[in-house]
Amino acid sequence: MSFTLWYHPYSGYGQKAATAAYELGLPFELRVVDHTDDALMAEFRKISPFGKMPALVDAEGRAFHESSIVIEWMDLRAGGGRLIPRDPAAALEARAVDRVIDHYAGGPMNRIVLEKFRPEGSRDPFGSEQDAQVLAQAWDWLEDRLGDGRTWGAGESFTLADCCAAPILTYARRLVPFGDRPRLKAWHGRLMARPSFQRALEDAAPFGDLMPAPPAVD
Ligand SMILES: N[C@@H](CCC(=O)N[C@@H](CS)C(=O)NCC(=O)O)C(=O)O
């Protein structure tokens, strides 16, 4: 095995990393993050100090956390220039789309979901409404970005931006539907058909549907 990847197959950010590994054809050992296992979580927090998945440990025992950094590592390990394009402008675009999705779709999505698990009396519907507005803004930004006719998130090749988008869009559209954004919808359709993301979804399937939101309708 070339590295160990810590995540839970149902987690969106875990699927982002798994999609990248499958895309690059890099074999990995999966360590499933299980919050109910104290000993395992103590080990995990040494690798990922904020307790966030995914995290990667390479053959030399070096640890990397934050999904985009994990993917940068994988791309280098695979020879470079695939998920992070060699052309600097194309690489910048891939990173820009990835950052926007991480901060303005994935972040609000996670907060809205976690809010639903808070105990009665400590909920924050106003905060969730604000997060939903940010998510809608992210959908607008992406719809606009796709206006140049690009096939994938950052151009004509499948990159970091698409690894990020595939799971985050799939989950977050259940909270804030795509609505009348045809380019976003069509891109998401292409992401859903990508074999690397399909494999990540197959890994998650045994865990059922844990998302506290109805399936996407639009
Ligand atoms: N910006 C981080 C976000 C990672 C993240 O939020 N992961 C979630 C799972 S989708 C997590 O680990 N949640 C567990 C927790 O917060 O305790 C990244 O890109 O890796």
Side-chain angles (χ1 to χ4, degrees):
M1 287 298 158
S2 56
F3 60 91
T4 304
L5 200 53
W6 288 71
Y7 70 101
H8 189 288
Y10 197 82
S11 91
Y13 283 93
Q15 290 174 12
K16 172 179 167 181
T19 299
Y22 291 139
E23 191 68 36
L24 296 167
L26 292 178
F28 62 90
E29 185 195 341
L30 167 65
R31 292 289 303 271
V32 177
V33 175
D34 175 0
H35 285 83
T36 65
D37 184 334
D38 291 343
L40 181 117
M41 290 309 287
E43 192 186 345
F44 178 55
R45 279 181 181 276
K46 287 187 194 142
I47 293 160
S48 183
F50 298 95
K52 300 283 183 193
M53 59 189 113
L56 179 153
V57 181
D58 71 11
E60 285 77 43
R62 286 176 303 209
F64 300 87
H65 60 95
E66 283 298 308
S67 56
S68 305
I69 302 302
V70 161
I71 292 176
E72 297 249 5
W73 183 96
M74 288 183 196
D75 196 57
L76 285 174
R77 174 77 177 68
R82 287 174 65 188
L83 297 179
I84 312 293
R86 286 200 199 283
D87 172 57
L92 197 61
E93 182 65 10
R95 291 186 175 108
V97 174
D98 171 72
R99 289 300 75 218
V100 166
I101 295 172
D102 185 358
H103 284 290
Y104 305 112
M109 170 189 84
N110 276 347
R111 282 193 296 275
I112 293 170
V113 168
L114 287 175
E115 206 269 343
K116 292 180 193 289
F117 293 108
R118 282 188 187 178
E120 207 62 56
S122 63
R123 300 238 166 92
D124 177 18
F126 182 74
S128 286
E129 184 45 44
Q130 283 183 317
D131 278 325
Q133 283 170 19
V134 173
L135 246 169
Q137 260 182 289
W139 291 168
D140 282 340
W141 189 88
L142 290 166
E143 179 73 6
D144 187 54
R145 210 70 171 179
L146 292 159
D148 60 7
R150 62 184 68 182
T151 304
W152 296 108
E156 290 314 299
S157 61
F158 189 97
T159 66
L160 166 70
D162 301 287
C163 296
C164 184
I168 304 301
L169 267 57
T170 301
Y171 283 134
R173 71 180 299 202
R174 293 173 62 172
L175 303 170
V176 175
F178 290 153
D180 185 22
R181 298 180 183 91
R183 294 188 287 265
L184 184 60
K185 233 179 264 185
W187 176 36
H188 183 248
R190 292 191 285 279
L191 293 168
M192 287 300 292
R194 189 81 175 181
S196 54
F197 181 50
Q198 281 294 324
R199 271 187 80 178
L201 290 177
E202 282 162 23
D203 293 343
F207 297 94
D209 187 1
L210 308 173
M211 180 93 171
V217 286
D218 68 339

mmCIF file of all heavy atoms in Angstrom, residues 60-85:
data_model
loop_
_atom_site.group_PDB
_atom_site.id
_atom_site.type_symbol
_atom_site.label_atom_id
_atom_site.label_comp_id
_atom_site.label_asym_id
_atom_site.label_seq_id
_atom_site.Cartn_x
_atom_site.Cartn_y
_atom_site.Cartn_z
ATOM 1 N N GLU A 60 6.368 6.906 4.779
ATOM 2 C CA GLU A 60 7.398 7.339 5.751
ATOM 3 C C GLU A 60 6.772 7.782 7.071
ATOM 4 O O GLU A 60 7.476 8.273 7.964
ATOM 5 C CB GLU A 60 8.230 8.507 5.186
ATOM 6 C CG GLU A 60 9.240 8.101 4.116
ATOM 7 C CD GLU A 60 8.582 7.842 2.775
ATOM 8 O OE1 GLU A 60 7.696 8.632 2.385
ATOM 9 O OE2 GLU A 60 8.912 6.828 2.137
ATOM 10 N N GLY A 61 5.468 7.690 7.176
ATOM 11 C CA GLY A 61 4.794 8.047 8.421
ATOM 12 C C GLY A 61 4.442 9.522 8.530
ATOM 13 O O GLY A 61 3.988 9.982 9.571
ATOM 14 N N ARG A 62 4.613 10.275 7.433
ATOM 15 C CA ARG A 62 4.239 11.700 7.478
ATOM 16 C C ARG A 62 2.730 11.826 7.300
ATOM 17 O O ARG A 62 2.134 11.148 6.460
ATOM 18 C CB ARG A 62 4.945 12.481 6.361
ATOM 19 C CG ARG A 62 6.419 12.714 6.643
ATOM 20 C CD ARG A 62 7.050 13.393 5.466
ATOM 21 N NE ARG A 62 6.839 12.592 4.255
ATOM 22 C CZ ARG A 62 7.661 12.570 3.215
ATOM 23 N NH1 ARG A 62 8.740 13.319 3.215
ATOM 24 N NH2 ARG A 62 7.423 11.825 2.159
ATOM 25 N N ALA A 63 2.144 12.718 8.104
ATOM 26 C CA ALA A 63 0.686 12.878 8.073
ATOM 27 C C ALA A 63 0.299 14.179 7.374
ATOM 28 O O ALA A 63 0.987 15.201 7.512
ATOM 29 C CB ALA A 63 0.147 12.858 9.497
ATOM 30 N N PHE A 64 -0.811 14.114 6.643
ATOM 31 C CA PHE A 64 -1.345 15.297 5.960
ATOM 32 C C PHE A 64 -2.843 15.335 6.203
ATOM 33 O O PHE A 64 -3.525 14.319 6.077
ATOM 34 C CB PHE A 64 -1.077 15.216 4.442
ATOM 35 C CG PHE A 64 0.384 15.135 4.101
ATOM 36 C CD1 PHE A 64 1.027 13.896 4.049
ATOM 37 C CD2 PHE A 64 1.131 16.275 3.867
ATOM 38 C CE1 PHE A 64 2.387 13.804 3.772
ATOM 39 C CE2 PHE A 64 2.488 16.199 3.581
ATOM 40 C CZ PHE A 64 3.121 14.951 3.534
ATOM 41 N N HIS A 65 -3.360 16.497 6.557
ATOM 42 C CA HIS A 65 -4.805 16.638 6.683
ATOM 43 C C HIS A 65 -5.254 17.802 5.827
ATOM 44 O O HIS A 65 -4.422 18.499 5.244
ATOM 45 C CB HIS A 65 -5.230 16.806 8.153
ATOM 46 C CG HIS A 65 -4.647 17.991 8.846
ATOM 47 N ND1 HIS A 65 -5.298 19.187 8.952
ATOM 48 C CD2 HIS A 65 -3.459 18.162 9.447
ATOM 49 C CE1 HIS A 65 -4.535 20.038 9.614
ATOM 50 N NE2 HIS A 65 -3.409 19.442 9.919
ATOM 51 N N GLU A 66 -6.554 17.995 5.709
ATOM 52 C CA GLU A 66 -7.227 18.913 4.774
ATOM 53 C C GLU A 66 -7.270 18.244 3.398
ATOM 54 O O GLU A 66 -6.239 17.985 2.763
ATOM 55 C CB GLU A 66 -6.558 20.289 4.682
ATOM 56 C CG GLU A 66 -6.865 21.201 5.860
ATOM 57 C CD GLU A 66 -8.350 21.519 5.999
ATOM 58 O OE1 GLU A 66 -8.988 21.961 5.019
ATOM 59 O OE2 GLU A 66 -8.895 21.299 7.088
ATOM 60 N N SER A 67 -8.507 17.995 2.955
ATOM 61 C CA SER A 67 -8.721 17.201 1.738
ATOM 62 C C SER A 67 -7.937 17.721 0.525
ATOM 63 O O SER A 67 -7.402 16.922 -0.250
ATOM 64 C CB SER A 67 -10.218 17.152 1.422
ATOM 65 O OG SER A 67 -10.735 18.460 1.305
ATOM 66 N N SER A 68 -7.849 19.038 0.368
ATOM 67 C CA SER A 68 -7.177 19.568 -0.839
ATOM 68 C C SER A 68 -5.676 19.292 -0.784
ATOM 69 O O SER A 68 -5.056 19.015 -1.816
ATOM 70 C CB SER A 68 -7.432 21.073 -0.973
ATOM 71 O OG SER A 68 -8.816 21.304 -0.952
ATOM 72 N N ILE A 69 -5.105 19.363 0.420
ATOM 73 C CA ILE A 69 -3.671 19.065 0.580
ATOM 74 C C ILE A 69 -3.429 17.575 0.358
ATOM 75 O O ILE A 69 -2.448 17.170 -0.281
ATOM 76 C CB ILE A 69 -3.192 19.500 1.998
ATOM 77 C CG1 ILE A 69 -3.445 20.990 2.210
ATOM 78 C CG2 ILE A 69 -1.730 19.146 2.216
ATOM 79 C CD1 ILE A 69 -2.779 21.906 1.209
ATOM 80 N N VAL A 70 -4.346 16.770 0.854
ATOM 81 C CA VAL A 70 -4.268 15.316 0.650
ATOM 82 C C VAL A 70 -4.272 15.014 -0.854
ATOM 83 O O VAL A 70 -3.494 14.188 -1.344
ATOM 84 C CB VAL A 70 -5.461 14.639 1.386
ATOM 85 C CG1 VAL A 70 -5.734 13.247 0.877
ATOM 86 C CG2 VAL A 70 -5.201 14.633 2.903
ATOM 87 N N ILE A 71 -5.117 15.719 -1.587
ATOM 88 C CA ILE A 71 -5.197 15.482 -3.039
ATOM 89 C C ILE A 71 -3.949 16.017 -3.742
ATOM 90 O O ILE A 71 -3.442 15.400 -4.686
ATOM 91 C CB ILE A 71 -6.507 16.067 -3.616
ATOM 92 C CG1 ILE A 71 -7.694 15.259 -3.083
ATOM 93 C CG2 ILE A 71 -6.485 16.066 -5.150
ATOM 94 C CD1 ILE A 71 -9.064 15.771 -3.487
ATOM 95 N N GLU A 72 -3.433 17.135 -3.279
ATOM 96 C CA GLU A 72 -2.166 17.640 -3.849
ATOM 97 C C GLU A 72 -1.075 16.575 -3.663
ATOM 98 O O GLU A 72 -0.284 16.315 -4.565
ATOM 99 C CB GLU A 72 -1.742 18.952 -3.168
ATOM 100 C CG GLU A 72 -2.715 20.094 -3.384
ATOM 101 C CD GLU A 72 -2.194 21.209 -4.277
ATOM 102 O OE1 GLU A 72 -1.091 21.084 -4.825
ATOM 103 O OE2 GLU A 72 -2.939 22.202 -4.437
ATOM 104 N N TRP A 73 -1.053 15.977 -2.481
ATOM 105 C CA TRP A 73 -0.054 14.927 -2.202
ATOM 106 C C TRP A 73 -0.256 13.776 -3.188
ATOM 107 O O TRP A 73 0.702 13.271 -3.780
ATOM 108 C CB TRP A 73 -0.198 14.433 -0.751
ATOM 109 C CG TRP A 73 0.838 13.414 -0.356
ATOM 110 C CD1 TRP A 73 2.011 13.643 0.289
ATOM 111 C CD2 TRP A 73 0.788 11.997 -0.601
ATOM 112 N NE1 TRP A 73 2.705 12.464 0.461
ATOM 113 C CE2 TRP A 73 1.982 11.434 -0.081
ATOM 114 C CE3 TRP A 73 -0.127 11.146 -1.209
ATOM 115 C CZ2 TRP A 73 2.268 10.068 -0.145
ATOM 116 C CZ3 TRP A 73 0.159 9.780 -1.292
ATOM 117 C CH2 TRP A 73 1.344 9.258 -0.761
ATOM 118 N N MET A 74 -1.493 13.328 -3.340
ATOM 119 C CA MET A 74 -1.772 12.180 -4.225
ATOM 120 C C MET A 74 -1.361 12.484 -5.664
ATOM 121 O O MET A 74 -0.796 11.633 -6.351
ATOM 122 C CB MET A 74 -3.275 11.859 -4.217
ATOM 123 C CG MET A 74 -3.796 11.244 -2.954
ATOM 124 S SD MET A 74 -5.556 10.895 -3.243
ATOM 125 C CE MET A 74 -6.107 10.648 -1.593
ATOM 126 N N ASP A 75 -1.671 13.700 -6.099
ATOM 127 C CA ASP A 75 -1.354 14.049 -7.488
ATOM 128 C C ASP A 75 0.163 14.003 -7.715
ATOM 129 O O ASP A 75 0.626 13.474 -8.724
ATOM 130 C CB ASP A 75 -1.916 15.428 -7.834
ATOM 131 C CG ASP A 75 -1.963 15.654 -9.331
ATOM 132 O OD1 ASP A 75 -2.608 14.842 -10.032
ATOM 133 O OD2 ASP A 75 -1.327 16.604 -9.808
ATOM 134 N N LEU A 76 0.920 14.537 -6.759
ATOM 135 C CA LEU A 76 2.384 14.475 -6.856
ATOM 136 C C LEU A 76 2.853 13.020 -6.874
ATOM 137 O O LEU A 76 3.710 12.631 -7.667
ATOM 138 C CB LEU A 76 3.028 15.206 -5.672
ATOM 139 C CG LEU A 76 2.977 16.731 -5.724
ATOM 140 C CD1 LEU A 76 3.509 17.314 -4.415
ATOM 141 C CD2 LEU A 76 3.803 17.255 -6.910
ATOM 142 N N ARG A 77 2.260 12.227 -5.983
ATOM 143 C CA ARG A 77 2.631 10.805 -5.856
ATOM 144 C C ARG A 77 2.377 10.075 -7.181
ATOM 145 O O ARG A 77 3.108 9.146 -7.539
ATOM 146 C CB ARG A 77 1.792 10.194 -4.728
ATOM 147 C CG ARG A 77 1.921 8.723 -4.522
ATOM 148 C CD ARG A 77 3.232 8.389 -3.799
ATOM 149 N NE ARG A 77 3.351 6.965 -3.515
ATOM 150 C CZ ARG A 77 3.502 6.028 -4.431
ATOM 151 N NH1 ARG A 77 3.561 6.334 -5.708
ATOM 152 N NH2 ARG A 77 3.598 4.749 -4.067
ATOM 153 N N ALA A 78 1.341 10.505 -7.915
ATOM 154 C CA ALA A 78 0.987 9.864 -9.185
ATOM 155 C C ALA A 78 1.783 10.446 -10.360
ATOM 156 O O ALA A 78 1.520 10.090 -11.508
ATOM 157 C CB ALA A 78 -0.514 10.005 -9.428
ATOM 158 N N GLY A 79 2.694 11.344 -10.074
ATOM 159 C CA GLY A 79 3.523 11.891 -11.158
ATOM 160 C C GLY A 79 3.258 13.354 -11.459
ATOM 161 O O GLY A 79 4.006 13.990 -12.201
ATOM 162 N N GLY A 80 2.158 13.879 -10.926
ATOM 163 C CA GLY A 80 1.855 15.307 -11.069
ATOM 164 C C GLY A 80 1.128 15.648 -12.361
ATOM 165 O O GLY A 80 1.159 14.901 -13.346
ATOM 166 N N GLY A 81 0.423 16.780 -12.316
ATOM 167 C CA GLY A 81 -0.184 17.330 -13.533
ATOM 168 C C GLY A 81 -1.524 16.764 -13.934
ATOM 169 O O GLY A 81 -2.011 17.052 -15.024
ATOM 170 N N ARG A 82 -2.146 15.963 -13.073
ATOM 171 C CA ARG A 82 -3.455 15.412 -13.457
ATOM 172 C C ARG A 82 -4.584 16.127 -12.725
ATOM 173 O O ARG A 82 -5.385 16.835 -13.338
ATOM 174 C CB ARG A 82 -3.466 13.913 -13.216
ATOM 175 C CG ARG A 82 -2.602 13.211 -14.281
ATOM 176 C CD ARG A 82 -2.449 11.748 -14.012
ATOM 177 N NE ARG A 82 -3.724 11.037 -14.105
ATOM 178 C CZ ARG A 82 -3.877 9.766 -13.751
ATOM 179 N NH1 ARG A 82 -2.863 9.076 -13.304
ATOM 180 N NH2 ARG A 82 -5.054 9.178 -13.867
ATOM 181 N N LEU A 83 -4.656 15.964 -11.427
ATOM 182 C CA LEU A 83 -5.745 16.642 -10.700
ATOM 183 C C LEU A 83 -5.386 18.093 -10.419
ATOM 184 O O LEU A 83 -6.267 18.932 -10.213
ATOM 185 C CB LEU A 83 -6.055 15.882 -9.410
ATOM 186 C CG LEU A 83 -6.574 14.458 -9.644
ATOM 187 C CD1 LEU A 83 -6.827 13.756 -8.329
ATOM 188 C CD2 LEU A 83 -7.830 14.448 -10.516
ATOM 189 N N ILE A 84 -4.084 18.386 -10.388
ATOM 190 C CA ILE A 84 -3.599 19.769 -10.330
ATOM 191 C C ILE A 84 -2.888 19.993 -11.664
ATOM 192 O O ILE A 84 -1.767 19.510 -11.866
ATOM 193 C CB ILE A 84 -2.580 19.978 -9.174
ATOM 194 C CG1 ILE A 84 -3.075 19.382 -7.843
ATOM 195 C CG2 ILE A 84 -2.240 21.470 -9.047
ATOM 196 C CD1 ILE A 84 -4.280 20.044 -7.233
ATOM 197 N N PRO A 85 -3.530 20.706 -12.579
ATOM 198 C CA PRO A 85 -2.929 20.843 -13.921
ATOM 199 C C PRO A 85 -1.532 21.462 -13.874
ATOM 200 O O PRO A 85 -1.226 22.252 -12.982
ATOM 201 C CB PRO A 85 -3.912 21.769 -14.645
ATOM 202 C CG PRO A 85 -5.193 21.656 -13.898
ATOM 203 C CD PRO A 85 -4.829 21.380 -12.469
#
